[in-house]
Amino acid sequence: MVEPNASGPLKADDFTFDCGDVDIKVKLSSEDTITVGKVSSSAMAMASPVWKKFVYSPLLRIQGEHSTRGVPIKELEFTEDDPLALLILLRVAHLRFRGVPLSPSFELLVQLATLCDEYDCVDLVKPWFHTWFANWESKPLEYGQEKESLLIAWTFGMEKSVESLTKNLVRELSINEDGKANFGIIEGDTLPIPQSLIEDILKVRLATIDLLLDIPYSRMELYETKRSGFCKSTNKERCEILCYGSLLKGLQDTGIWPRPKAQDVLISVNQLSSALNGCKIYTLNNHTHCFRTSKIRREVGRVISSIESPLLDSHRQLLRARSQEGNEHESSALDTLLESPRATTQWKQSILRRVLHGKLFSSGGGK
């Protein structure tokens, strides 16, 4: 199915729903014009605990004879939010499920993840997880999308994807001269991931760099202590001097001579491994067996393939809590709506009518 109104611009009446009793301000696309729609205060309160606080402000309460009850605010402003992502969440909240796309674009998923995290309403869209992320694991990750992909994966509790993406960060992160990581996830606080996970990504990066540095420097130490035993010919000294000098020059060209501390290596793990694999070693004629660069490449490959996961058990528990029951049948969502103490008789009747007419969780347009 196509995304709602993908063939044309969003309209003001897209944001007007039945039983609307609260005005909502939305900025459509990149236009400066702000439109006003109507949403249901009950629907908003049930959909998101954050929206509930917006709608029923503690400052707006009526003191009755036996209790105090909330009074819905007259107007809500969402002019800073992506209008299409917001509209999808509002359609789910107002039971207009036919207007929910079955295959959102990557860009739309980024915006949905942003709003679901901001408004604490991941549960609202769980019935669509099985279609939104049906082929997520098999899709190739495009360069430059790592930050947004991690936002989506973490927000919607996709443990395998988060693990893969954080390992990718371990390999790709470089450090600037101020000691800050040159990656969006570290520079800002726009991603809803724990600081401990960011710290573990950096720790695993340092441990991996140390292991990579061990590869050439263990060989250098053998040459320096005359314990290499690589060359068995009468020209052993000339051979080892040539090999040692070649390796030394390669380390100098990469900027890692003398051996630095791991935290002082600014290039990424991938850049370091490529530099080690690309070291050109010169040998005497018929002495290529005295220094096999293929052995270095194998050792580098083993280090890269055995990079530890930055995810701790606490991170996995958080992810599983976010995805819990995410792939259950849509009936669980209906049960939640019908059993809610805020669901009025009118709402329940509306839900059941739509079930009987096959209008829930089906593809198609509509508000």
Side-chain angles (χ1 to χ4, degrees):
M1 136 178 201
V2 296
E3 292 168 5
N5 286 300
S7 59
L10 297 177
K11 304 182 297 297
D13 60 358
D14 287 330
F15 293 87
T16 298
F17 296 89
D18 295 340
C19 303
D21 59 344
V22 175
D23 289 343
I24 179 174
K25 285 186 175 182
V26 182
K27 184 182 291 186
L28 302 184
S29 300
S30 59
E31 300 175 6
D32 292 331
T33 304
I34 294 177
T35 188
V36 179
K38 281 278 190 182
V39 295
S40 164
S41 58
S42 296
M44 299 290 283
M46 285 193 292
S48 158
V50 178
W51 287 351
K52 180 180 178 181
K53 292 179 180 178
F54 288 172
V55 172
Y56 294 100
S57 170
L59 301 178
L60 298 174
R61 306 189 71 83
I62 293 179
Q63 183 68 47
E65 183 176 351
H66 301 292
S67 65
T68 300
R69 62 184 179 89
V71 178
I73 198 169
K74 295 184 179 297
E75 183 179 84
L76 295 170
E77 184 169 330
F78 290 91
T79 54
E80 299 298 320
D81 293 338
D82 180 83
L84 182 53
L86 176 64
L87 178 58
I88 290 170
L89 296 183
L90 291 177
R91 282 176 168 170
V92 176
H94 290 81
L95 311 181
R96 297 295 186 256
F97 302 123
R98 294 183 65 200
V100 179
L102 299 181
S103 300
S105 65
F106 179 83
E107 293 74 16
L108 182 53
L109 282 174
V110 172
Q111 297 300 332
L112 284 166
T114 300
L115 295 189
C116 283
D117 178 69
E118 181 178 353
Y119 297 128
D120 192 14
C121 59
V122 172
D123 287 349
L124 194 64
V125 295
K126 278 183 178 178
W128 287 270
F129 277 15
H130 66 289
T131 59
W132 286 5
F133 306 116
N135 302 312
W136 182 266
E137 299 289 346
S138 60
K139 289 182 180 178
L141 180 64
E142 295 187 18
Y143 180 76
Q145 291 185 341
E146 296 89 347
K147 176 181 176 181
E148 291 78 9
S149 296
L150 184 54
L151 165 63
I152 294 170
W154 180 269
T155 300
F156 296 125
M158 300 159 64
E159 185 177 339
K160 288 183 179 179
S161 291
V162 172
E163 183 160 35
S164 174
L165 289 163
T166 51
K167 282 187 176 182
N168 187 67
L169 278 176
V170 170
R171 295 189 297 268
E172 293 288 348
L173 278 178
S174 58
I175 307 296
N176 63 28
E177 294 181 354
D178 295 328
K180 295 182 179 179
N182 293 323
F183 212 92
I185 174 181
I186 308 297
E187 294 171 358
D189 57 353
T190 58
L191 293 184
I193 65 174
Q195 181 63 30
S196 60
L197 179 53
I198 295 177
E199 293 171 356
D200 285 328
I201 290 170
L202 295 175
K203 287 178 183 177
V204 175
R205 174 185 177 272
L206 292 179
T208 305
I209 287 175
D210 255 332
L211 291 174
L212 288 173
L213 291 175
D214 283 341
I215 296 171
Y217 278 98
S218 61
R219 177 70 69 105
M220 296 290 285
E221 184 181 2
L222 291 175
Y223 284 132
E224 292 167 354
T225 57
K226 301 185 183 300
R227 294 184 292 110
S228 70
F230 300 128
C231 183
K232 306 296 184 183
S233 75
T234 55
N235 288 326
K236 174 181 178 180
E237 186 173 359
R238 290 179 58 200
C239 175
E240 293 192 346
I241 287 174
L242 187 56
C243 292
Y244 180 87
S246 299
L247 185 55
L248 174 59
K249 185 177 186 305
L251 298 178
Q252 286 177 328
D253 290 345
T254 307
I256 54 173
W257 175 267
R259 177 169 180 161
K261 294 180 180 179
Q263 56 264 37
D264 295 328
V265 175
L266 304 184
I267 59 177
S268 70
V269 166
N270 277 350
Q271 290 171 321
L272 178 57
S273 62
S274 295
L276 294 178
N277 285 332
C279 275
K280 189 170 182 60
I281 305 299
Y282 296 93
T283 61
L284 297 175
N285 290 336
N286 301 320
H287 280 245
T288 55
H289 61 281
C290 295
F291 195 118
R292 297 187 183 278
T293 54
S294 59
K295 183 177 180 181
I296 285 186
R297 289 194 292 269
R298 286 196 299 271
E299 291 178 9
V300 168
R302 280 196 291 269
V303 169
I304 297 301
S305 63
S306 60
I307 290 176
E308 295 181 6
S309 171
L311 286 182
L312 302 176
D313 288 342
S314 58
H315 301 143
R316 296 183 189 278
Q317 290 172 5
L318 286 172
L319 287 166
R320 289 165 189 169
R322 285 173 175 258
S323 65
Q324 189 177 11
E325 300 178 356
N327 292 325
E328 288 188 358
H329 191 269
E330 290 87 351
S331 61
S332 63
L334 296 178
D335 291 341
T336 299
L337 288 170
L338 291 171
E339 294 172 3
S340 170
R342 287 185 170 273
T344 63
T345 300
Q346 181 182 6
W347 263 64
K348 293 179 181 180
Q349 291 174 344
S350 173
I351 294 172
L352 293 174
R353 280 199 302 271
R354 295 172 69 79
V355 171
L356 290 173
H357 287 85
K359 295 181 179 180
L360 285 177
F361 302 106
S362 59
S363 62
K367 293 190 292 180

